[in-house]
């Protein structure tokens, strides 16, 4: 695990090595255990290392046998032992025990087809010295980030985090207006866009080739296709989910340092922590507890008691991190700095404080239960999807939303059903409506921008089926929100977050599932996953309804955090200086946060975090 960066400068007074060193130093939190660099022609690559595997011999770059291919990478290759045996059978001699050494040797045999052979999370920079070619690649689920920039003159840079690219000389950091418009709808900027108009993320399951003046991007397939002969019967389905999930969790225990796990007390994290504890003999588990406030989604926001109970059952050393709204408030600058761009997924604050506590306890690796909902059908609204396909109903097209908590569930569902496929996809679990953003942003800023609903479509143009909404969550919401949250907030405190439920074979199995294989006819969510682990989990965990980690953001913005609204929309705020919002934005925000018919907290929090990011961006 590390942070990587590199620079290609053809005619510049600063050397590529000098620039790359600055870029790497700016992401030192991703790897405080050492740094190394490599220069070739007009290019320099570098990394900062978080030592997890092969502590003594795993320093990068890693080479092929002829040392003509050099590899820097961020992540873990979980199937490296299998790949290593295959390569050794071909006569390859390894120099280290590091999982990433297989990459260069695989390139000698398979070229760029190598990336499809890697079961792991990774951002890779491979330098082919023979052909003076740089190849960048990103993992199948999108766990590890990689950003890139190319100047009009052909200079090129890449890095694990956006702030590192700010060190690149002459970089064009023009703000991306469309990205800023989209952000309050999703709470993040959808990839491959970034907050900067001329900087992009390399898409997940893609690789890039930089050769001479040419830059090209290519996709690669998931070779880890689930090949179970049958998952048609309930028994076969349950058995296959158990096999694939256990295999993924076990593989993600690869580590020469202590491993811990997030533990909320719910189904997904309990499965991960239980299997990890059984395999390792002992692990540390972590949960967050805060004020016992009512959660508008699930009645009670705090889950620490349920987590402690599960920890007792599996015998883990449990750490309950108790925080207040004041504690979270003090973390906001750290939160937005490590997000790298405007970002307002408030549940990331919980991951941030757990990562801090884990690091203080000497834990460098944390497993997460994220991804199970998108793979096996866990979100509460999935129980209503099939009813959406049956008949028309009167409602307000375009404004139906699960955030409209002032309405009964029946009314909310009717209004969602009245909308288009895209409006429904937005209404299930996203935030700012296009009309609300038009009131908050200035007219000049919003002029000419596209609707954020453009992100919801099926390629063949047909009407969406129930399962399409889950596929959309798996391909869009999961990588952009859940996986980015785990990576950025754990790495903020030099901890590696791992997500077993997004292993390529798990994703492949999930893609095969029908609606009835995820949600039962009686509305039981993730029924097959529950059955798959019924013999190892207590009844109260198996029967517990879905309960995400929900920060009571609406309550705090009305009370302890109300001053943030005043600060963010004041005359001298960054939002006002950049003319992003109009003079009446503060009154609009106050009206929205006090509207008891709709949860607007995350919309307002998005503008607050945008303002906070801009304040840092200007310095």
């Amino acid at each position: 695990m590390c942070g990587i960066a590199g620079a290609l400068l053809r005619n510049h007074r600063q050397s590529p090595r000098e620039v790359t060193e600055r870029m790497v130093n700016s992401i030192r939190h991703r790897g405080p255990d050492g740094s190394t660099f490599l220069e070739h022609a007009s290019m320099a690559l570098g990394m900062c290392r978080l030592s997890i595997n092969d502590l003594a011999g795993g320093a990068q770059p890693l080479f092929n046998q002829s040392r003509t291919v050099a590899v820097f990478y961020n992540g873990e290759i979980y199937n490296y032992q299998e790949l290593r045996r295959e390569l050794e059978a071909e006569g390859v001699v390894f120099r280290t025990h590091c999982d990433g050494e297989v990459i260069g040797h695989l390139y000698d045999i398979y070229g760029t087809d190598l990336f499809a052979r890697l079961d792991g999370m990774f951002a890779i920079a491979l330098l082919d010295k023979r052909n003076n070619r740089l190849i960048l690649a990103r993992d199948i689920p999108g766990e590890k980030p990689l950003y890139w920039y190319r100047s009009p003159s052909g200079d090129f840079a890449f890095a694990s985090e956006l702030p590192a690219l700010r060190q690149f000389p002459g970089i064009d950091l023009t703000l991306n207006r469309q990205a800023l418009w989209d952000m309050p709808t999703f709470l993040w900027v959808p990839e491959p866009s970034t907050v900067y108009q001329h900087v992009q993320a390399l898409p997940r399951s893609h690789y890039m080739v930089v050769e001479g003046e040419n830059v090209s991007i290519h996709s690669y397939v998931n070779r880890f296709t689930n090949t179970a002969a049958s998952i048609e019967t309930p028994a076969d389905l349950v058995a296959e989910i158990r096999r694939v999930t256990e295999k993924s969790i076990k593989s993600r225990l690869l580590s020469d340092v202590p491993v811990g796990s997030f533990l909320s007390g719910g189904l997904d994290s309990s499965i991960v922590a239980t299997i990890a504890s059984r395999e390792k003999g002992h692990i540390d588990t972590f949960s967050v507890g805060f004020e016992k406030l009512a959660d508008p989604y699930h009645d009670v926001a705090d889950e620490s008691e349920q987590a402690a109970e599960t920890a007792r059952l599996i015998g883990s050393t449990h750490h309950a991190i108790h925080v207040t709204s004041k504690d979270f408030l003090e973390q906001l600058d750290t939160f937005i700095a490590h997000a790298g761009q405007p970002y307002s997924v408030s549940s990331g604050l919980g991951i941030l404080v757990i990562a801090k506590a884990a690091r203080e306890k000497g834990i460098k690796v944390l497993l997460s239960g994220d991804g199970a909902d998108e793979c096996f059908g866990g979100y509460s609204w999935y129980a209503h999807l099939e009813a959406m396909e049956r008949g028309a109903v009167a409602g307000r097209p375009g404004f139906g939303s699960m955030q409209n908590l002032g309405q009964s569930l029946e009314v909310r569902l009717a209004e969602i059903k009245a909308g288009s496929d895209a409006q429904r996809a937005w209404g299930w679990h996203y935030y700012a409506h296009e009309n609300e953003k038009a009131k908050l942003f200035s007219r000049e800023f919003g002029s000419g921008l596209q609707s954020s609903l453009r992100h919801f479509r099926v390629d063949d143009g047909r009407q969406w089926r129930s399962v399409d909404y889950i596929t959309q969550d798996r391909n869009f919401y999961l990588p952009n929100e859940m996986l980015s949250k785990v990576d950025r907030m754990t790495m903020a405190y030099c901890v590696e977050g791992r997500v077993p439920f997004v292993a390529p074979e798990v994703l492949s199995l999930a893609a095969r599932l029908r609606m009835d294989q995820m949600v039962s006819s009686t509305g039981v969510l993730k029924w097959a996953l529950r059955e798959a682990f019924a013999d190892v989990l207590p009844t109260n965990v198996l029967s517990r309804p879905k309960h995400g980690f929900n920060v009571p953001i609406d309550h705090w913005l009305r009370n302890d955090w109300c001053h943030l609204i005043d600060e963010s929309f004041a005359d001298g705020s960054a939002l006002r200086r950049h003319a992003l919002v109009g003079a009446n934005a503060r009154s609009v925000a106050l009206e929205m946060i006090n509207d008891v018919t709709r949860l607007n907290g995350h919309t307002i929090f998005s503008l607050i975090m945008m303002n906070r990011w801009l304040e840092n961006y200007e310095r």
Side-chain angles (χ1 to χ4, degrees), residues 19-285:
V19 172
T20 300
E21 285 186 359
R22 290 204 308 270
M23 293 167 67
V24 168
N25 286 336
S26 73
I27 52 174
R28 183 72 61 181
H29 53 276
R30 296 188 76 93
D33 298 333
S35 58
T36 49
F37 301 88
L38 177 70
E39 294 179 83
H40 174 74
S42 56
M43 191 183 315
L45 285 69
M47 58 84 71
C48 50
R49 186 184 184 203
L50 178 63
S51 303
I52 290 176
N53 296 309
D54 192 5
L55 304 184
Q60 300 178 27
L62 298 163
F63 294 96
N64 64 344
Q65 289 196 136
S66 62
R67 298 182 71 86
T68 55
V69 174
V71 174
F72 288 92
Y73 81 108
N74 169 23
E76 308 290 349
I77 310 303
Y78 300 117
N79 65 334
Y80 87 98
Q81 291 173 327
E82 173 189 340
L83 294 170
R84 184 177 179 125
R85 287 192 293 270
E86 292 176 7
L87 289 164
E88 286 174 333
E90 295 290 330
V92 172
V93 177
F94 284 78
R95 298 184 180 91
T96 77
H97 297 288
C98 182
D99 54 289
E101 191 181 348
V102 300
I103 298 169
H105 300 303
L106 288 170
Y107 180 73
D108 280 342
I109 300 173
Y110 299 105
T112 54
D113 288 341
L114 85 92
F115 304 117
R117 305 179 68 84
L118 304 179
D119 173 12
M121 58 176 186
F122 55 80
I124 294 171
L126 184 151
L127 177 61
D128 178 349
K129 296 180 182 179
R130 291 168 297 197
N131 298 297
N132 200 31
R133 175 190 300 151
L134 173 67
I135 301 171
L136 306 177
R138 196 164 168 221
D139 60 57
I140 289 168
E143 290 186 74
K144 291 291 114 183
L146 193 60
Y147 299 98
W148 64 278
Y149 167 78
R150 188 181 188 217
S151 74
S153 64
D155 290 343
F156 183 87
F158 69 89
S160 292
E161 294 188 4
L162 284 170
L165 290 176
R166 291 175 60 84
Q167 303 299 319
F168 191 69
I171 187 169
D172 186 338
L173 296 178
T174 301
L175 293 177
N176 184 338
R177 289 171 55 241
Q178 184 67 60
L180 292 173
W181 176 267
D182 290 338
M183 183 260 180
T185 293
F186 305 111
L187 313 186
W188 28 265
V189 175
E191 293 184 348
S193 296
T194 76
V195 69
Y196 302 117
Q197 187 173 326
H198 301 287
V199 177
Q200 287 196 307
L202 181 64
R204 63 189 182 91
S205 66
H206 280 67
Y207 67 91
M208 166 186 282
V209 180
V210 182
E211 189 170 12
E213 298 292 329
N214 299 316
V215 175
S216 58
I217 298 178
H218 314 266
S219 64
Y220 65 92
V221 299
N222 181 356
R223 285 184 66 254
F224 299 89
T225 303
N226 182 261
T227 56
S230 174
I231 56 171
E232 288 303 306
T233 70
D236 287 343
L237 173 63
V238 166
E240 186 62 4
I241 288 176
R242 175 67 174 261
R243 183 191 70 82
V244 171
T245 301
E246 279 208 19
K247 177 184 175 183
S248 175
I249 295 169
K250 291 176 185 178
S251 68
R252 269 96 183 130
L253 296 173
L254 171 70
S255 176
D256 293 331
V257 297
V259 174
S261 182
F262 293 96
L263 182 60
S264 69
L267 177 69
D268 310 333
S269 64
S270 294
I271 289 172
V272 172
T274 297
I275 301 304
S277 180
R278 186 189 71 188
E279 294 297 314
K280 299 291 286 187
H282 174 268
I283 62 169
D284 286 60
T285 52

Side-chain angles (χ1 to χ4, degrees), residues 194-408:
T194 76
V195 69
Y196 302 117
Q197 187 173 326
H198 301 287
V199 177
Q200 287 196 307
L202 181 64
R204 63 189 182 91
S205 66
H206 280 67
Y207 67 91
M208 166 186 282
V209 180
V210 182
E211 189 170 12
E213 298 292 329
N214 299 316
V215 175
S216 58
I217 298 178
H218 314 266
S219 64
Y220 65 92
V221 299
N222 181 356
R223 285 184 66 254
F224 299 89
T225 303
N226 182 261
T227 56
S230 174
I231 56 171
E232 288 303 306
T233 70
D236 287 343
L237 173 63
V238 166
E240 186 62 4
I241 288 176
R242 175 67 174 261
R243 183 191 70 82
V244 171
T245 301
E246 279 208 19
K247 177 184 175 183
S248 175
I249 295 169
K250 291 176 185 178
S251 68
R252 269 96 183 130
L253 296 173
L254 171 70
S255 176
D256 293 331
V257 297
V259 174
S261 182
F262 293 96
L263 182 60
S264 69
L267 177 69
D268 310 333
S269 64
S270 294
I271 289 172
V272 172
T274 297
I275 301 304
S277 180
R278 186 189 71 188
E279 294 297 314
K280 299 291 286 187
H282 174 268
I283 62 169
D284 286 60
T285 52
F286 297 82
S287 66
V288 171
F290 48 94
E291 299 108 311
K292 292 186 178 297
L293 296 168
D295 173 7
Y297 298 103
H298 305 292
D299 298 328
V300 178
D302 187 286
E303 295 185 281
S304 56
E305 292 180 7
Q306 292 88 341
E309 181 182 352
T310 302
R312 284 192 295 272
L313 290 170
I314 67 175
S316 66
T317 299
H318 189 60
H319 310 276
I321 317 303
H322 292 280
V323 292
T324 65
S325 63
K326 183 176 181 292
D327 295 321
F328 277 140
L329 182 64
E330 292 172 351
Q331 288 284 338
L332 287 186
D333 281 331
T334 300
F335 175 77
I336 197 63
H338 289 286
Q341 59 184 329
Y343 187 80
S344 56
V345 182
S346 62
S347 57
L349 290 164
I351 294 179
L352 191 68
V353 299
I354 284 178
K356 183 175 185 291
R359 187 66 185 186
E360 291 170 351
K361 300 293 182 182
I363 303 296
K364 282 186 173 182
V365 176
L366 282 174
L367 304 185
S368 165
D370 288 298
D373 291 319
E374 294 86 353
C375 286
F376 298 113
Y379 290 119
S380 58
W381 53 89
Y382 291 171
H384 306 296
L385 286 174
E386 292 216 295
M388 291 289 145
E389 295 185 15
R390 298 193 291 270
V393 67
R396 292 184 301 166
F399 205 82
S401 169
M402 294 300 281
Q403 304 294 321
N404 297 342
L405 281 227
Q407 301 171 332
S408 68

Side-chain angles (χ1 to χ4, degrees), residues 464-484:
W464 285 32
R465 302 162 302 188
S466 298
V467 74
D468 291 324
Y469 293 95
I470 301 181
T471 301
Q472 167 75 19
D473 283 346
R474 195 179 301 139
N475 294 335
F476 184 66
Y477 178 80
L478 175 58
N480 278 293
E481 176 158 328
M482 310 305 282
L483 299 185
S484 69

